[in-house]
Amino acid sequence: MAERQVERNVFDKVMLPIYAPADFVPVRGKGSRVWDQQGKDYIDFAGGIAVTALGHCHPALVAALHEQGEKLWHTSNIFTNEPALRLAQKLIAATFAERVFFANSGAEANEAAFKLARHYAVTRHSPYKTKIIAFNQAFHGRTFFTVSVGGQPKYSDGFGPKPADIVHVPFNDLAAVEAVMDDHTCAVVLEPVQGEGGVTPATESFLRGVRELCDRHNALLVFDEVQSGMGRTGTLFTYMHYGVVPDILTTAKALGGGFPISAMLTTDEIASVMHVGTHGTTYGGNPLACAVAEAALDIINTPQVLAGIGERHTLFSESLAKINQKYNLFTQVRGMGLLLGAELSPEYHGKARDILYAAATNGLMMLNAGPNILRFAPSLVIEFDEIKEGFSRLENAIESVVKQ
Ligand SMILES: *Cc1c(COP(=O)(O)O)cnc(C)c1O
């Protein structure tokens, strides 16, 4: 306890006060287990925030990092590098895409996507074709353009004038999109499953309808799969589940399995408006990041791993249903694959964080999505007995919160 207090005091003194970290400090992880400074173990149902899709320190990722780490760390984009070329080719082979841009975070991939969508419309169609249609509760990152396209004013207000010509409508409401869609629209931007905003999957008819509206008005459809991509929902990317193909797709979180990397995928035609110097980044396509992401993609994009996500989804759903039978805690459990949200019933509204803290006390890491939703985003290869152990710890945590 004393040690924890010291760490917390240091944090409060030296860090920008934008986070409220748990009062333990993780120091080691293996698979879906994490240990803190005191040696206490935690089952990981969070995976960072849907990042460590193959668990902690997966041997193949460690090997890729180690191997590349002894070869070449960085070149800048004045040169290309072998891991980036290999990863780009594999992403293209696995998706609709013909072109790839690498960056370091979800926000950066989205920033590139939004700039590309605007630039494409402005150069191909008209200087006035700049409207971006986005959704309430959407989350696209923390740069100023991405918080502005995101649909949560608490993240975008208080920083002065915002990028203009961005319209927000309710998610899964096709009529609302149709009402604001016109020929000045350059793009519709959405998460196929809204993550931070509450783990809300798009309906199939909504995605199909938005695709048709985009085609009718020469607007691009941008899927932010930063959280939903790389196997998270049971297919390599979530658009594959719906059979609705975007024009631009971004992915990040699980792409590097914990090593920072993101990618924006698009077609030859759309990419053709970009020229040397139109956009760029110092670190994007870094050899270390690309080598690790290549190893992650090689493992995730296999029938065994993708099929295993469905089996784990079932165990999670059944376990949540069992808890609900006993405590009547949730009004709804939703989500796809291993991105699940359990909405707390009204009497527990505002308690998501309390449950998270109680879970940590009982040796379980998990997430919330707002004050009323528990979120689960474990490793895609979490062991079944780890899931069971995690749920027994969650039940202890809930027991302690319910008693309060
Ligand atoms: C996490 C997230 C982002 C932002 O990614 P960063 O790496 O934090 O910049 C963007 N979009 C979605 C859907 C996300 O879940």
Side-chain angles (χ1 to χ4, degrees):
M1 265 315 184
E3 192 174 353
R4 289 182 187 190
Q5 203 50 51
V6 170
E7 303 290 8
R8 189 55 210 248
N9 288 346
V10 174
F11 181 94
D12 289 344
K13 194 157 174 216
V14 302
M15 297 295 191
L16 198 71
I18 55 171
Y19 304 119
D23 71 351
F24 65 93
V25 179
V27 293
R28 191 163 63 85
K30 187 81 200 138
S32 288
R33 285 202 193 242
V34 173
W35 288 267
D36 71 10
Q37 290 169 316
Q38 284 72 29
K40 174 176 166 178
D41 81 288
Y42 300 80
I43 303 276
D44 188 359
F45 278 2
I49 300 179
V51 167
T52 51
L54 295 171
H56 297 274
C57 299
H58 188 288
L61 273 55
V62 172
L65 182 60
H66 195 96
E67 194 183 312
Q68 188 59 40
E70 298 203 321
K71 276 191 195 160
L72 184 69
W73 283 30
H74 179 78
T75 58
S76 90
N77 286 301
I78 296 166
F79 310 92
T80 188
N81 67 75
E82 292 175 350
L85 293 173
R86 286 199 306 266
L87 177 61
Q89 289 176 86
K90 286 183 178 179
L91 285 169
I92 286 169
T95 65
F96 75 97
E98 295 155 337
R99 296 281 176 156
V100 178
F101 167 74
F102 290 121
N104 315 288
S105 66
E108 283 174 82
N110 284 332
E111 185 81 22
F114 305 161
K115 282 178 72 180
L116 174 59
R118 282 259 176 98
H119 196 60
Y120 181 77
V122 164
T123 50
R124 274 284 196 282
H125 297 291
S126 135
Y128 305 107
K129 195 172 171 63
T130 53
K131 187 200 277 185
I132 292 176
I133 299 176
F135 295 91
N136 299 343
Q137 293 300 116
F139 185 79
H140 299 300
R142 299 299 202 114
T143 65
F144 205 25
F145 200 175
T146 56
V147 285
S148 301
V149 175
Q152 304 188 50
K154 66 177 180 203
Y155 296 142
S156 58
D157 288 357
F159 302 100
K162 295 175 193 173
D165 214 8
I166 300 164
V167 179
H168 294 95
V169 294
F171 191 59
N172 274 334
D173 185 342
L174 188 59
V177 179
E178 199 161 9
V180 295
M181 188 93 180
D182 56 22
D183 288 339
H184 296 304
T185 304
C186 71
V188 177
V189 176
L190 63 87
E191 299 155 84
V193 180
Q194 283 195 338
E196 310 296 315
V199 192
T200 311
T203 63
E204 200 173 318
S205 60
F206 174 70
L207 284 194
R208 287 191 189 287
V210 170
R211 176 73 269 179
E212 279 168 30
L213 283 173
C214 285
D215 292 343
R216 204 181 309 154
H217 293 278
N218 282 318
L220 300 181
L221 181 55
V222 180
F223 279 2
D224 176 350
E225 293 224 32
V226 166
Q227 185 158 167
S228 67
M230 290 301 289
R232 178 56 52 194
T233 65
T235 48
L236 184 63
F237 290 101
T238 303
Y239 83 85
M240 295 167 176
H241 168 86
Y242 288 95
V244 174
V245 181
D247 301 296
I248 301 176
L249 179 148
T250 56
T251 179
K253 290 193 164 85
L255 180 59
F259 201 96
I261 178 171
S262 64
M264 177 189 71
L265 313 181
T266 191
T267 63
D268 276 330
E269 157 61 17
I270 296 165
S272 71
V273 299
M274 302 301 265
H275 300 289
V276 174
T278 319
H279 190 63
T281 156
T282 295
Y283 286 123
N286 169 279
L288 292 170
C290 289
V292 177
E294 183 192 10
L297 179 61
D298 284 345
I299 296 170
I300 291 172
N301 196 24
T302 55
Q304 308 90 281
V305 169
L306 293 174
I309 296 165
E311 296 163 25
R312 287 165 177 79
H313 170 93
T314 305
L315 184 52
F316 263 85
S317 300
E318 286 170 0
S319 307
L320 285 166
K322 242 185 242 163
I323 284 183
N324 211 22
Q325 266 169 17
K326 198 158 164 193
Y327 299 99
N328 213 3
L329 197 65
F330 312 127
T331 50
Q332 193 189 28
V333 175
R334 55 181 185 252
M336 290 164 65
L338 287 172
L339 181 56
L340 289 146
E343 183 158 2
L344 296 171
S345 49
E347 57 179 310
Y348 295 106
H349 273 188
K351 293 265 191 213
R353 283 231 142 216
D354 296 346
I355 295 174
L356 252 57
Y357 290 133
T361 304
N362 284 279
L364 177 68
M365 294 165 129
M366 48 182 280
L367 298 165
N368 64 323
N372 305 329
I373 294 164
L374 305 181
R375 178 169 37 152
F376 304 88
S379 157
L380 307 179
V381 295
I382 185 172
E383 302 287 344
F384 287 86
D385 55 4
E386 287 169 333
I387 299 177
K388 287 174 192 153
E389 174 64 24
F391 271 102
S392 111
R393 295 179 185 191
L394 178 58
E395 201 171 322
N396 293 339
I398 286 170
E399 187 82 40
S400 72
V401 171
V402 166
K403 270 202 204 120
Q404 278 169 14

